[in-house]
Amino acid sequence: MRCPAKLNLYLRVVGRRADGYHELETVFQTIDLCDELAVRGVSGRVRLRCNSAEAPSDHSNLVVRAASLLRARPEAFVSHGAVLTLSKAIPTGAGLGGGSSDAAAALVLLNRLWELGLTVDSLRWLAAELGSDVPFFLEGGAAIGRGRGEVLEPLPDAPTRWFVLAKPPAGVATPWAYAHYRPVGRNGVGLTDFLAAWQSDEPAAIAAGLRNDLEPGVLAERPDIAALLEALLAAGAVNARMTGSGACVFGVCESEAQARSVAERLKASTDAWVAVARSLGAAECQALAAEGA
Ligand code: C5P
């Protein structure tokens, strides 16, 4: 099954919660940059094979934790086991949700393989236990995320949008980014304004509506990420922002042709990982899930 990455087109930190998490108002959008997860049934044990040295193959990988959560369910048997094969294309420490998307795919695939019969609602609970971003990937498309990011309100599919992604060699750990959050610039674009722009056909309007409250705190410590944002704009992107907790940034482009030329310029002028991606609607995400059946 292909596991798509996401961008946070909008991310407002509403406040700090008693449990240490931050209350968010965010807009997720899946894109066509995908990892690939395959499962094969074996008896009694779970093993992960992964093509990336950056992603762990042990219990700290969310895919393995997803499998453990399912095996602990009363519907599961001790004989249930699987070999999971994960091919990573989404960089880690990027804010692109790769690990979360892989975990959501693992829940769906193992629920099928082991014939547990868990409903989407049950999977949502398990997903939220694995991480704040995991529930979003059960449906994909575009959605408003509230709470930790796990309380979702789906948005209707919008026209295809083109982005250029860029990530510096060093990643960002999510807890570090939140620890550096400072409540500055809170008078930015509101969600209503963003949504009005998002529903318009104008890439320039969407570009003007981008917001990420984690960005200033991260940029203060990471001049390499600040430089990439500058480089994206200099290469011709309409606007650029960090996604989630970073370190990946994205530029909004008017068209595929413009995105490809921005990406070429960026590759020539930086040492960053660079990719062109387009938005992936909920219907396309469901098709990816069905493909893996
Ligand atoms: O939920 P997840 O495991 O992805 O969160 C990782 C870390 O990111 C948390 O331990 C917390 O430090 C931070 N976080 C936060 N507020 C959120 C989401 C994550 O403070 N809404």
Side-chain angles (χ1 to χ4, degrees), residues 53-147:
E54 280 174 43
S57 294
D58 62 7
H59 198 75
S60 59
N61 192 304
L62 276 183
V63 163
V64 178
R65 290 185 38 216
S68 300
L69 269 188
L70 284 182
R71 283 184 98 212
R73 295 281 308 191
E75 295 87 346
F77 295 103
V78 281
S79 61
H80 281 146
V83 176
L84 299 124
T85 308
L86 179 60
S87 304
K88 293 290 297 177
I90 306 170
T92 54
L96 289 167
S100 300
S101 186
D102 302 342
L107 289 176
V108 170
L109 288 174
L110 293 174
N111 183 39
R112 252 184 231 156
L113 177 73
W114 294 337
E115 297 178 340
L116 302 179
L118 296 176
T119 61
V120 176
D121 270 345
S122 305
L123 291 181
R124 268 195 210 110
W125 279 104
L126 295 172
E129 220 173 295
L130 289 167
S132 308
D133 290 348
V134 182
F136 165 69
F137 288 105
L138 290 173
E139 319 268 343
I144 302 170
R146 296 193 175 84

Side-chain angles (χ1 to χ4, degrees), residues 16 20-24 100 130-133 147-149 174-175 178:
R16 186 89 195 256
Y21 279 86
H22 291 74
E23 186 75 16
L24 301 183
S100 300
L130 289 167
S132 308
D133 290 348
R148 289 187 287 132
T174 305
Y178 277 98

Side-chain angles (χ1 to χ4, degrees), residues 2-286:
R2 277 192 282 164
C3 320
K6 57 86 177 160
L7 296 176
N8 296 90
L9 300 176
Y10 180 96
L11 193 160
R12 180 166 86 94
V13 176
V14 178
R16 186 89 195 256
R17 306 177 0 163
D19 63 5
Y21 279 86
H22 291 74
E23 186 75 16
L24 301 183
E25 191 175 68
T26 187
V27 176
F28 296 109
Q29 170 72 65
T30 37
I31 53 174
D32 67 345
L33 170 70
C34 295
D35 288 342
E36 181 105 33
L37 182 69
V39 297
R40 181 167 58 83
V42 295
S43 190
R45 71 199 157 91
V46 170
R47 203 149 55 86
L48 174 64
R49 291 194 191 129
C50 182
N51 69 339
S52 161
E54 280 174 43
S57 294
D58 62 7
H59 198 75
S60 59
N61 192 304
L62 276 183
V63 163
V64 178
R65 290 185 38 216
S68 300
L69 269 188
L70 284 182
R71 283 184 98 212
R73 295 281 308 191
E75 295 87 346
F77 295 103
V78 281
S79 61
H80 281 146
V83 176
L84 299 124
T85 308
L86 179 60
S87 304
K88 293 290 297 177
I90 306 170
T92 54
L96 289 167
S100 300
S101 186
D102 302 342
L107 289 176
V108 170
L109 288 174
L110 293 174
N111 183 39
R112 252 184 231 156
L113 177 73
W114 294 337
E115 297 178 340
L116 302 179
L118 296 176
T119 61
V120 176
D121 270 345
S122 305
L123 291 181
R124 268 195 210 110
W125 279 104
L126 295 172
E129 220 173 295
L130 289 167
S132 308
D133 290 348
V134 182
F136 165 69
F137 288 105
L138 290 173
E139 319 268 343
I144 302 170
R146 296 193 175 84
R148 289 187 287 132
E150 88 288 20
V151 181
L152 296 162
E153 182 186 326
L155 291 169
D157 282 346
T160 299
R161 266 121 207 197
W162 288 92
F163 305 98
V164 174
L165 317 179
K167 183 194 164 283
V172 163
T174 305
W176 181 91
Y178 277 98
H180 285 81
Y181 165 69
R182 300 287 172 269
V184 290
R186 298 184 81 184
N187 303 323
V189 185
L191 183 63
T192 314
D193 292 337
F194 171 80
L195 290 176
W198 185 79
Q199 272 147 10
S200 85
D201 265 348
E202 284 301 310
I206 299 153
L210 302 179
R211 172 172 177 160
N212 187 338
D213 287 2
L214 295 175
E215 193 184 272
V218 171
L219 295 193
E221 303 287 326
R222 290 288 303 269
D224 54 336
I225 301 175
L228 260 189
L229 282 170
E230 289 301 318
L232 261 173
L233 294 174
V238 186
N239 198 5
R241 274 280 167 282
M242 191 172 84
T243 173
S245 52
C248 188
V249 297
F250 64 96
V252 175
C253 294
E254 302 267 0
S255 62
E256 177 177 10
Q258 190 195 27
R260 301 221 174 269
S261 89
V262 168
E264 283 316 308
R265 274 186 226 132
L266 207 60
K267 279 182 197 161
S269 64
T270 70
D271 63 348
W273 168 89
V274 177
V276 170
R278 68 169 180 87
S279 57
L280 205 63
E284 290 176 291
C285 288
Q286 290 313 309

